[in-house]
Amino acid sequence: MNQYLKNLNKIEFAVTYACTGRCKHCSEGEHACYGEHIDPLKAADAVRKISAEYNIKTVMVFGGEPLLYADTACEIMSAAFEMNIPKRQIITNGCFSKDAHNIRKVAENLSKCGVNDLLLSVDAFHQETLPLETVKLFAKEAKNCGIPIRLQPAWLVSRDDDNTYNLKTREILESFADMQIRENDGNIVFPEGNALKYLAEYFTENRPENPYTEDPFDIRCISFSPNGDVLGGNVYRCDIMEILRKYAPDKKA
Ligand code: SF4
């Protein structure tokens, strides 16, 4: 086992950077890589191989909007279920289709493939471009299928700050009350990508750090990009276990 990965416990996949949203706070910026998505079989294979050697507790898929490639998300989750990984998580904005039948079908498939933690991104930023009715329809279908759901808002400055975005976010969260969906603490928006471009005035006194930064000497989570890049290698060119075996941090960093 690679000593720099001895505490590895999470695998995450940015299934695609394509997105239905155009959020002002998005740390990924303008989503230029439309349509590219990770190969489902390669991704599932990586889940099986890594979890056979490391004590993986969570497999997570996100994006962009991962449910634009729902079959890929399901392939990854099925592999996680098969490998008995306890948390099988998806982060979605809930807007991937306008077709009610398709929305129901995707919810059913996510349930069948073992998703057990669905984080629904809802807040003032997402709802500037993504219709709440569509999000709620998906949430209703997912709930009917028995998938545990949590609302996952992004807060600006802090959860308690009364800026106009946070006020709107509270209003949006309250509108879910009758659906009895649990609310998560959510994230604090940090100054990267679009957030730096559109919300710079909110970061003059306080610059929240990117909470997803990993210590290169003690990697806890590895993250796959839609093009197969992971940990300085690429799964289309090299076996994932070889990438993990060869990984070494840049000592100058
Ligand atoms: S924050 Fe999420 S939903 Fe919004 S543009 Fe970025 S990836 Fe898409």
Side-chain angles (χ1 to χ4, degrees):
M1 183 181 288
N2 185 326
Q3 58 164 326
Y4 301 116
L5 302 171
K6 62 179 188 300
N7 293 315
L8 179 66
N9 59 39
K10 181 176 181 184
I11 313 171
E12 58 182 36
F13 294 89
V15 168
T16 179
Y17 290 136
C19 195
T20 46
R22 296 286 175 270
C23 304
K24 268 185 201 150
H25 73 310
C26 184
S27 61
E28 291 168 3
E30 302 291 351
H31 296 276
C33 311
Y34 298 122
E36 185 173 39
H37 65 285
I38 195 152
D39 178 84
L41 298 180
K42 276 275 176 211
D45 179 60
V47 169
R48 291 188 188 97
K49 286 178 173 166
I50 299 169
S51 54
E53 190 166 326
Y54 292 86
N55 187 15
I56 302 300
K57 302 262 199 280
T58 304
V59 170
M60 193 255 271
V61 299
F62 68 112
E65 173 42 53
L67 294 181
L68 289 173
Y69 297 96
D71 291 349
T72 301
C74 282
E75 194 74 40
I76 294 169
M77 288 296 142
S78 294
F81 186 63
E82 177 193 320
M83 297 306 290
N84 293 316
I85 293 168
K87 189 179 274 191
R88 301 173 299 272
Q89 190 175 56
I90 184 160
I91 302 183
T92 171
N93 66 32
C95 287
F96 51 91
S97 172
K98 291 181 180 150
D99 179 67
H101 175 74
N102 187 35
I103 291 170
R104 180 176 310 133
K105 198 83 215 145
V106 168
E108 285 169 2
N109 289 344
L110 291 176
S111 170
K112 277 187 209 148
C113 71
V115 171
N116 63 7
D117 190 23
L118 192 152
L119 297 178
L120 197 57
S121 302
V122 283
D123 50 52
F125 303 107
H126 287 85
Q127 268 51 74
E128 276 187 332
T129 57
L130 298 165
L132 204 49
E133 313 78 68
T134 309
V135 180
K136 286 186 174 177
L137 176 58
F138 171 62
K140 184 174 117 248
E141 297 293 359
K143 201 161 181 272
N144 286 346
C145 292
I147 302 174
I149 312 178
R150 294 182 287 160
L151 303 177
Q152 174 78 355
W155 300 102
L156 191 57
V157 182
S158 72
R159 190 188 166 93
D160 302 325
D161 195 76
D162 284 334
N163 60 70
T164 50
Y165 289 103
N166 286 358
L167 293 177
K168 182 70 188 170
T169 293
R170 283 182 208 134
E171 203 180 289
I172 290 167
L173 293 174
E174 276 162 24
S175 80
F176 279 85
D178 60 335
M179 295 181 78
Q180 298 182 321
I181 297 177
R182 265 197 309 148
E183 195 184 309
N184 226 10
D185 286 345
N187 297 321
I188 305 297
V189 177
F190 53 92
E192 282 185 24
N194 281 356
L196 202 52
K197 193 165 160 187
Y198 298 112
L199 303 167
E201 70 204 84
Y202 293 94
F203 302 123
T204 48
E205 289 174 19
N206 170 23
R207 292 179 69 84
E209 287 186 6
N210 180 342
Y212 308 111
T213 307
E214 284 287 320
D215 175 355
F217 292 87
D218 184 17
I219 302 273
R220 311 287 172 114
C221 169
I222 58 170
S223 191
F224 288 74
S225 298
N227 68 358
D229 282 351
V230 56
L231 219 57
N234 184 286
V235 278
Y236 299 125
R237 294 194 286 276
C238 184
D239 184 78
I240 183 63
M241 297 317 285
E242 187 66 6
I243 294 173
L244 265 56
R245 193 183 64 73
K246 284 186 177 161
Y247 170 76
D250 181 353
K251 297 259 163 58
K252 285 176 287 187

